[in-house]
């Protein structure tokens, strides 16, 4: 988190502190740690600022989703960007902490639309209560003040995501580089999905893409890359160049 920034809001819930910090034209959401949970450019809130959130947008080269499930809202930057570039897509934004949703709505331009539904509940419980094959994209960004929610790394969670995704659906997981060494986690992904890609964002995050169908005809299309990069306000090429195929044996 930007320790030199100005705290503009602080509240608490049963889990802990929620802070909003402003510094150098940017606004940050924090849970009382040294790492920001979200970062937003105040004058252009729809343009993603954190490297891992930009890497997540590679998913747009893999699938053209009509239904998107976001688990772990934070400041809502991903929800805002997906809604900006895919205004007709139906977005389900799941966040355990109701106060985080309220804070994002007040300070982070969280969009209000008939196409976006915000639900305050445990992400895994939401998936279990949702029909199979009902979404084309699941983005799991479940973090606490201690780091990655361990549930996001579990075999049960990964298997449930596979059941919820359509035949051409993709699961995107925001992890840390340390999780490269978690062989059980990688094996669980390898057993549930046909394709597994990873992007080292260069900032300590490791973004994983698990899918059921081949994406080569998408990711090699220069026209598609340019179109999405223009809509997003930053180039996807940097992250595409970092994308590698991985297997359990790797």
């Amino acid at each position: 988190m930007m320790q030199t920034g100005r705290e503009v809001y602080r509240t608490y819930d049963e889990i802990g502190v929620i802070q909003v910090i402003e510094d150098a034209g940017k606004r940050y959401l924090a849970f009382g740690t040294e790492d920001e949970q979200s970062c937003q450019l105040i004058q252009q809130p729809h343009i993603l600022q954190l490297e891992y959130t930009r890497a997540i947008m590679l998913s747009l080269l893999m699938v053209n989703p009509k239904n998107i499930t976001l688990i772990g809202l934070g400041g809502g930057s991903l929800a805002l960007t997906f809604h900006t570039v895919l205004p007709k897509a139906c977005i389900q934004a799941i966040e355990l902490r109701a106060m985080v949703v309220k804070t994002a709505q007040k300070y982070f331009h969280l969009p209000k639309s008939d196409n976006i539904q915000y639900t305050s509940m445990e992400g895994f419980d939401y998936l279990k209560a949702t029909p199979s094959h009902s979404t084309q994209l699941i983005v799991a960004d479940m973090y606490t003040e201690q780091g990655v929610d361990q549930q996001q790394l579990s075999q049960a969670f990964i298997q449930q995501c596979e059941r919820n995704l359509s035949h051409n659906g993709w699961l995107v997981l925001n992890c840390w580089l340390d999780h490269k060494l978690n062989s059980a986690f990688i094996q669980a992904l390898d057993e549930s999905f046909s394709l597994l890609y990873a992007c080292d964002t260069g900032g300590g995050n490791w973004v994983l893409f698990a899918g059921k169908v081949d994406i080569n005809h998408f990711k090699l299309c220069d026209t598609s890359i340019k179109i999405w990069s223009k809509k997003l306000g930053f180039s996807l090429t940097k992250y595409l160049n970092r994308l590698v195929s991985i297997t359990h044996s790797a």
Side-chain angles (χ1 to χ4, degrees):
M1 189 182 70
M2 300 297 295
Q3 296 293 339
T4 59
R6 178 176 64 94
E7 182 178 271
V8 297
Y9 179 72
R10 176 190 289 252
T11 189
Y12 297 86
D13 62 9
E14 64 279 5
I15 294 178
V17 65
I18 301 166
Q19 297 170 280
V20 178
I21 309 292
E22 287 188 2
D23 185 73
K26 294 181 179 181
R27 186 170 288 167
Y28 300 84
L29 179 74
F31 296 155
T33 69
E34 294 182 358
D35 295 317
E36 65 265 19
Q37 300 295 323
S38 292
C39 174
Q40 193 173 84
L41 194 63
I42 295 174
Q43 295 300 319
Q44 294 178 297
H46 64 286
I47 299 179
L48 294 168
Q49 298 300 300
L50 298 180
E51 294 289 335
Y52 85 87
T53 59
R54 292 186 171 195
I56 285 173
M57 289 298 136
L58 288 174
S59 60
L60 295 173
L61 303 178
M62 303 170 186
V63 62
N64 185 20
K66 295 181 179 179
N67 292 280
I68 301 170
T69 303
L70 305 177
I71 305 178
L73 180 70
S77 296
L78 287 170
L80 175 57
T81 297
F82 273 118
H83 179 64
T84 300
V85 300
L86 292 171
K88 294 183 179 180
C90 294
I91 299 174
Q92 300 289 333
I94 316 304
E95 170 56 50
L96 175 63
R97 305 169 69 176
M99 190 58 69
V100 170
V101 178
K102 292 180 180 179
T103 302
Q105 289 173 331
K106 185 174 182 180
Y107 290 97
F108 290 90
H109 302 277
L110 200 59
K112 294 181 180 180
S113 168
D114 292 339
N115 289 340
I116 306 179
Q117 180 176 342
Y118 302 101
T119 303
S120 297
M121 66 183 297
E122 182 73 50
F124 193 19
D125 291 340
Y126 172 83
L127 292 175
K128 289 187 289 185
T130 304
S132 299
H133 314 302
S134 58
T135 187
Q136 289 83 47
L137 181 62
I138 297 175
V139 179
D141 187 21
M142 300 162 62
Y143 274 69
T144 68
E145 65 275 15
Q146 282 83 36
V148 180
D149 188 328
Q150 292 302 302
Q151 184 173 249
Q152 182 172 298
L153 309 176
S154 71
Q155 183 179 38
F157 180 83
I158 292 167
Q159 290 175 340
Q160 186 64 51
C161 286
E162 191 277 333
R163 285 192 285 270
N164 283 71
L165 286 165
S166 61
H167 75 281
N168 65 332
W170 282 81
L171 169 64
V172 183
L173 300 169
N174 176 35
C175 301
W176 285 345
L177 287 175
D178 292 349
H179 296 121
K180 285 184 177 182
L181 304 177
N182 189 335
S183 59
F185 168 53
I186 302 302
Q187 182 175 2
L189 284 166
D190 203 40
E191 290 175 351
S192 293
F193 291 90
S194 301
L195 298 164
L196 189 56
Y197 292 83
C199 178
D200 180 345
T201 66
N205 292 79
W206 196 47
V207 179
L208 291 163
F209 302 82
K212 302 181 181 184
V213 296
D214 199 352
I215 65 166
N216 285 334
H217 62 294
F218 287 108
K219 73 188 187 88
L220 296 180
C221 177
D222 290 338
T223 301
S224 180
I225 296 169
K226 290 178 181 178
I227 290 173
W228 283 118
S229 295
K230 184 177 181 179
K231 289 182 178 180
L232 291 165
F234 60 87
S235 175
L236 286 173
T237 302
K238 169 184 174 180
Y239 307 98
L240 186 60
N241 289 340
R242 289 176 172 265
L243 192 69
V244 297
S245 176
I246 63 174
T247 64
H248 173 53
S249 59

